[in-house]
Structure formats: C-alpha cells, structure tokens
Amino acid sequence: MPGENTSSTNPGTSQKKKRPMGLKARAAKKHKTSNDQPTEDGAQEVNDFGDSNTATIMLKNDGNEASEIDELEGIFDGALEALSADDPERALTLLRGTIHECDRILRVHDEQGQVALLEAKFFYIYGMALFSISEIAEPDDKHEYLVLARDRLVQAEELMNEDLGWKVLEGLAKVRLELAATATDVIDNDDAEQKEKGDRLINDAVGSLDKALSVLPKDLPEQLVAESLGIFDLVLSLVDSRRLSESASFSLLTWAEDTSSKLPDALSNTDVRTAQGRCKWIFSSILLEQQDEETGEVPRREELVESLGAALVLLKGIETNDALLLHGEAALNLGNIVDGEKRQEELYAEAVDCFKLVQDKGELPEQFAQFLEDFENEDDDDDGDDGDDDNDDGDQDGDQDGNQEL
C-alpha cells in the first residue's frame, strides 16, 4: 500500500512527531556523540533518543557504509532478540521502530516513483515485523496486523530469490495459520458462506506450508527433515491449542501425517515418528474430549481405538521424554476404552513403564506423577486385600483340618 502512514500499520498506537527508531549509521559516523560507541567487534552502538519509547541496538558494521535495509534489519534483529529474551517492552519498542522505518522507506520510494526498486528483503522484514507485533499486541489489533503482514509477505514472495525463499514462505505460512485461528472465533460454521471462508483460510495456509517445504533442498536430507519438523511443530502446536475448528484441526493433522510420511527415512527417524505419534495423539484427544461423562461413550470409537493403537506403534522404543509422555498418555487412554480386563491391565502397565522412565530423569509433569502415585497405591491396596484373603483361606483350612482330626 504505497504512501501509507504509520497509523495505518500501527493499530492502537499513537503517531509521534519524532521518529523513534529512524537510525542512520552514516549520520552517526559523521556526527558522533557520547551515546555512539564503537564496540570491540566493529559494530556501532546507537542510542537514538533518550526517552522511554526508544531502545539502544547494535548495528552491523563491516567497514562499509550501511544501507537503509541493513539498518532496518538491525532494528528487527534487535526486536527478535528481545522477544527471545522475554523482554516484551523492548521488543515492542523495536518492532514499532521497524514498522515506522518501513513506512518511511516505502513512502519515500512511492513519492519518487521507485517502489519497484524495493527488494524482497524489505517486504520480508516489513511483513515479519507486523507478524511479530501481532503476537504481543492487544487482541483487538491482532487481526489487522496479520492482514497487513500477509499483504507484505505476498509482495516479498513475488520478488523473492532462492536465498530468501524459504524464510518468506515459512513466514507467510505462519501468518496464514494465525489468520485461520483468529477467524475461528468469529466464523459461524452453520453459515455456508462463512464456513467456506474458514475453509479457504485453512487451504491458503496449507498451500503456503506445501510451497515452503517445496523449496527446501532435497539433496540435504538432514536440513530438509529439520526444517520440516519445525513446520510440523508449528502446525501441531496450533491444533493442540484448540483455537481452530474441529474440521480445520483434522485437515491440518491429515496434512502433517501425509507430508511427514514422505520425508527421507521417515520410518526409521525417531523425530519424524514422534511427530507422527503426536498427530495420532492430538486427533485422539480431540475425540476423547467429546466423551459422554455419564455413559463413557466416545464418538467414532473405532477410529479412536485405531488412532491410539497407531500412536503406540509409532512411539514404541523411542525414549526421549516427549515420546515417552505421548506413549504413556496414549496407552493410558486406550486402556480406559478397550474391552477386556487383561488388555486394560497390559496398557496401564505400559503407561506406568513410560512415566517411570521419565520420572527417573526427574522430569515427570505433576499430573503423571499423580497417576503413578494413585496406581501404586491401588496396587498396594490390592496386595493387602489378597493377604487378607490368604489369611481367611488359612483359617478355613485350619478349621477343616481340625474337624477332620476330630
């Protein structure tokens, strides 16, 4: 949107006359002050203004004059570092600065009729800054930021080169997934038109996911698997948050299962199998949440039993904590719904074994520790009852022997 101002991309924020993060490394070189200090690695430390709405960042300095895009990248990198350090106040300041600077650069290029000269990297930074600020913005502002982020990343996609392709497409997939999630609260699935809109958002997200994975290097299987697993984690975490409709959740789970099965050495790679087992468990848990509390009946029972059983097969023999906890949960819940006391006891024992392995590492979550405690107490009670039965039998035998002797 050429010529837009800061207020159009900063919902809920006020326009400031002084540009808080308009950093100019070349100006800093020419007009050094006590706030501009070169660091040991040759980077330039710039403290733009001395008020609460500004932040000090480190600009890369390789000895050459920094371009506007380099400076922009420096601000955005600082924002990401602040987010990683769990410093939302600093992150928000730097993200606003990034967006403000992007607005200014775009406006200047538009006035000069040179928007076509802007590269994919500019629109990528612009889009991801908008996406990042949507993550910490007020809920009422989130959707507007996401729409703007999508538009900028679409522009980046149109201009992207091979080096930037994966990052742009991954970012676009993240934005479209979030758009689908934020739309869930306002879409009425009983309304055909709105349901179609919701389905379209999910389809757009899946399309971006597929396109992102398609640009990964097939001749580097380790990188392909690692980046793919990152995407699967993003998708599964969103589904597991229950922010999507059931149909959207099942669509994404199916996509993750199908796509992961096509990865190199999918059957032998324990990380891939763990992701697939997680798919099965999340699908199962969605069905389990619909269990009738009075009758204990669950919808699509056969599918549920099959899904939990498949999870056990996929996770068997994997001894990472994540896999063991998933394995234990699947075994425990399958034990709750299968027929046959013997099979139930086998599954409970399998769950206990998994949880104990994690417990031995000192990392068992509280809810599972409570299950173990209850299970072991129940076993102790059963043993005590058996002992009483044995004593009763002994008394009866003694009486019988005594009677016989008499």
Side-chain angles (χ1 to χ4, degrees):
M1 290 173 284
E4 69 189 30
N5 58 33
T6 305
S7 60
S8 67
T9 53
N10 280 287
T13 62
S14 59
Q15 178 74 28
K16 294 184 180 297
K17 291 183 179 179
K18 181 179 280 189
R19 183 162 48 86
M21 296 304 300
L23 304 180
K24 296 291 180 184
R26 56 180 175 275
K29 282 184 178 180
K30 294 177 182 177
H31 307 288
K32 287 189 177 181
T33 69
S34 59
N35 287 331
D36 299 347
Q37 303 168 4
T39 60
E40 292 181 4
D41 60 0
Q44 186 82 17
E45 181 177 342
V46 180
N47 190 347
D48 209 19
F49 301 107
D51 61 44
S52 61
N53 293 319
T54 64
T56 301
I57 65 168
M58 306 300 295
L59 294 180
K60 297 175 183 177
N61 188 345
D62 58 2
N64 298 318
E65 185 174 313
S67 69
E68 284 185 319
I69 305 304
D70 290 335
E71 294 172 4
L72 188 63
E73 186 177 19
I75 305 172
F76 182 52
D77 286 347
L80 295 181
E81 289 172 5
L83 286 172
S84 298
D86 197 22
D87 187 351
E89 184 176 350
R90 175 179 170 82
L92 187 59
T93 297
L94 291 169
L95 287 171
R96 284 173 173 162
T98 304
I99 294 167
H100 185 97
E101 187 71 353
C102 286
D103 284 341
R104 186 194 66 78
I105 292 172
L106 183 59
R107 185 166 55 251
V108 169
H109 279 72
D110 181 54
E111 290 170 354
Q112 297 174 353
Q114 297 179 337
V115 172
L117 297 180
L118 290 170
E119 299 177 356
K121 187 177 183 180
F122 167 77
F123 290 106
Y124 168 73
I125 293 172
Y126 202 166
M128 291 309 295
L130 287 162
F131 171 71
S132 297
I133 206 171
S134 77
E135 298 285 271
I136 55 177
E138 294 295 327
D140 290 344
D141 298 331
K142 185 178 181 72
H143 183 74
E144 184 177 354
Y145 277 123
L146 287 170
V147 170
L148 291 166
R150 179 198 60 198
D151 293 344
R152 293 308 182 215
L153 288 169
V154 166
Q155 288 177 285
E157 181 184 10
E158 293 169 352
L159 300 169
M160 69 185 187
N161 53 32
E162 185 176 343
D163 293 338
L164 200 60
W166 159 251
K167 295 172 70 175
V168 170
L169 293 169
E170 182 194 31
L172 193 52
K174 288 180 179 179
V175 169
R176 283 180 163 152
L177 284 171
E178 277 299 317
L179 276 171
T182 55
T184 298
D185 294 334
V186 297
I187 287 178
D188 180 3
N189 283 301
D190 293 330
D191 184 307
E193 185 175 340
Q194 289 196 40
K195 186 178 185 304
E196 183 181 349
K197 178 183 177 182
D199 292 341
R200 187 167 61 251
L201 287 169
I202 286 295
N203 290 337
D204 287 346
V206 169
S208 292
L209 291 167
D210 283 332
K211 198 166 184 179
L213 295 179
S214 72
V215 302
L216 290 172
K218 303 298 185 291
D219 57 338
L220 298 174
E222 289 186 3
Q223 181 183 348
L224 173 62
V225 171
E227 298 286 12
S228 298
L229 287 171
I231 286 288
F232 297 149
D233 181 64
L234 176 74
V235 170
L236 297 181
S237 295
L238 177 59
V239 175
D240 207 15
S241 72
R242 303 299 194 269
R243 295 170 56 210
L244 297 171
S245 67
E246 183 178 293
S247 61
S249 295
F250 288 164
S251 293
L252 287 175
L253 288 173
T254 300
W255 173 85
E257 283 190 63
D258 291 345
T259 307
S260 63
S261 67
K262 299 172 186 175
L263 290 174
D265 303 318
L267 293 176
S268 59
N269 188 305
T270 56
D271 290 332
V272 175
R273 283 168 49 203
T274 299
Q276 292 173 329
R278 188 179 171 196
C279 283
K280 295 294 186 184
W281 164 245
I282 294 174
F283 173 80
S284 302
S285 65
I286 293 173
L287 295 184
L288 284 166
E289 288 170 2
Q290 301 170 27
Q291 186 172 20
D292 189 298
E293 293 184 3
E294 294 183 2
T295 65
E297 293 183 1
V298 290
R300 300 161 67 172
R301 185 178 183 281
E302 290 185 6
E303 281 185 80
L304 176 57
V305 170
E306 181 182 349
S307 180
L308 288 169
L312 297 183
V313 172
L314 287 163
L315 297 165
K316 185 177 181 179
I318 305 176
E319 295 196 355
T320 62
N321 283 355
D322 287 343
L324 287 168
L325 291 175
L326 286 169
H327 190 159
E329 281 193 281
L332 174 59
N333 282 277
L334 184 56
N336 288 338
I337 61 173
V338 296
D339 297 323
E341 186 174 343
K342 181 179 179 181
R343 179 57 177 151
Q344 287 178 342
E345 292 301 324
E346 290 173 349
L347 288 164
Y348 292 150
E350 191 172 335
V352 167
D353 289 343
C354 290
F355 295 148
K356 281 187 173 180
L357 284 171
V358 181
Q359 188 179 53
D360 290 343
K361 303 175 187 178
E363 300 176 6
L364 186 66
E366 184 178 348
Q367 67 269 31
F368 302 120
Q370 185 62 51
F371 164 76
L372 277 183
E373 183 179 339
D374 293 343
F375 186 86
E376 289 169 351
N377 288 339
E378 187 175 321
D379 277 352
D380 291 340
D381 292 341
D382 290 342
D383 291 341
D385 292 340
D386 290 342
D388 291 341
D389 290 342
D390 290 341
N391 290 333
D392 291 342
D393 291 342
D395 292 341
Q396 291 173 3
D397 291 343
D399 291 341
Q400 290 173 357
D401 292 342
N403 290 333
Q404 289 173 352
E405 288 174 359
L406 288 171

